[in-house]
Amino acid sequence: MTAQPYDSWTSHLGDLTFELSAPVSWAAQQRRYLADYLPGHLGDQNLGAFRLVVQPDDARCEEVAWDANRPPVARHLEPVPGVVLTETRTPTGARSYAVAADALEHQTGAYAVRVHGRSIELYLHSTARRPHAHPLRLMREAMLRTYEDHGGVVFHSAGVDIDGHGVMIVGPRSAGKTTLLTCLIRATRGTLLSNDRLILDHQRRLVAVPLPVPVARGTVEAVPELADAVPGLSRPQRPVDTLPTTFGTTQKVEFSAREYATALGTSLAPGSWLRTIIVPRLTDTAEPATIRTLPPAEARRVLSASCFTPRDEFWRQPWLVPRATPDAALRHHAEPLVRNVADTVPCVEIRFGIRNPLSQLEQLLPTLETTLP
């Protein structure tokens, strides 16, 4: 049997390098998928490189999965809620992983992974849905854990770069981060960092974490640029008019990061310097748009609740890149960073009722420039 020709290329997540290889027949589409999320190299520090080989091969996927389930299984782990992996280890330190249960996407057997140090092999089965998403998921997992081991702190946050000034939008799910993010980009022409996670280091450097941008029906229908972009999205979507209108719904239109940015007439940024923090308080009311500066003690409580180092509410259990730093040490590092940021970075709360036109919120947002040093 003739071996498949492989294509190789380099991608970056922040300061982390990934040397990727995939069959030529697969690589072009994989490159396009990654380009929809990756903004480019940040270049602040050298965090080293990972090697990631993507192999769409049913037989090899089943073989590695069999290895991962062969006794004695080292452990079962749940990296994200509802997804259980089995792990086995070899005397040389290599690890194999297979999906034992998947209540999230119902894709048991869709992929298997073999890891040795910073060398990762991803085996994909033909039954996998959205198979080109799996390499990015592994790259993101490696990014988060590597940055945390080098002093980065992960926040549940959206972010925008406005001419080198980084704005971090922090808050829990359904707080209105994406709606506020959309309005901020439209009002300032800023560039997108991320929709839901940012990494912050001790020098106040914000690093973009590549993620999709789910947008609720109300925001899509209120922003013509987003509504016009929906028919051309790379991922099949439900018709917008069939989505629920309930405030805080999890059923949304999913844009890739670049699709979202492009629709709003902007681009992606790999990082920025933190200058302002916004805390959205959007409600299903007709409350007018207001802005209030938070005192440091209140800002500290908000940031602490949105700090996901050492424990993320979704990526609960590190697996691909075992942590070199214990949780207690990560927490000991994150807590003073949160205090310092709360005490020294302007933090404002924006209240707004979504029953009002979004234009009212957009008219308020340019006044934030007065808080930027």
Side-chain angles (χ1 to χ4, degrees), residues 254-334:
E254 185 172 298
F255 292 75
S256 73
R258 195 170 300 278
E259 287 171 336
Y260 171 82
T262 299
L264 296 178
T266 188
S267 58
L268 305 181
S272 188
W273 299 99
L274 178 60
R275 295 290 185 268
T276 302
I277 299 166
I278 301 178
V279 181
R281 305 288 191 197
L282 274 58
T283 57
D284 189 13
T285 67
E287 180 181 2
T290 59
I291 185 169
R292 175 176 73 95
T293 299
L294 297 185
E298 191 171 350
R300 195 176 306 134
R301 288 194 294 272
V302 171
L303 286 173
S304 294
S306 296
C307 179
F308 279 1
T309 294
R311 287 299 173 191
D312 192 296
E313 70 175 13
F314 185 73
W315 291 291
R316 294 177 176 175
Q317 190 170 4
W319 64 282
L320 189 71
V321 180
R323 276 180 170 154
T325 309
D327 282 9
L330 291 173
R331 187 176 294 107
H332 182 73
H333 169 74

Side-chain angles (χ1 to χ4, degrees), residues 63-77 85-91 93-98 113-115:
E63 177 186 334
V64 175
W66 185 84
D67 283 344
N69 286 292
R70 184 173 55 183
V73 173
R75 61 171 175 161
H76 288 82
L77 61 151
L85 303 180
T86 56
E87 175 192 87
T88 57
R89 296 171 179 259
T90 69
R95 293 170 282 133
S96 296
Y97 295 93
V113 179
R114 184 169 282 160
V115 189

Side-chain angles (χ1 to χ4, degrees), residues 112-125:
V113 179
R114 184 169 282 160
V115 189
H116 195 180
R118 286 197 166 199
S119 179
I120 304 166
E121 296 173 358
L122 169 64
Y123 300 91
L124 292 166
H125 199 275

Side-chain angles (χ1 to χ4, degrees), residues 215-223 226-231 233 237-245 251-255:
V215 185
R217 173 180 173 177
T219 302
V220 171
E221 292 181 332
V223 179
L226 295 179
D228 291 345
V230 171
L233 295 181
Q237 307 286 330
R238 282 178 55 183
V240 174
D241 60 5
T242 68
L243 293 172
T245 57
Q251 299 180 50
K252 302 180 180 183
V253 177
E254 185 172 298
F255 292 75

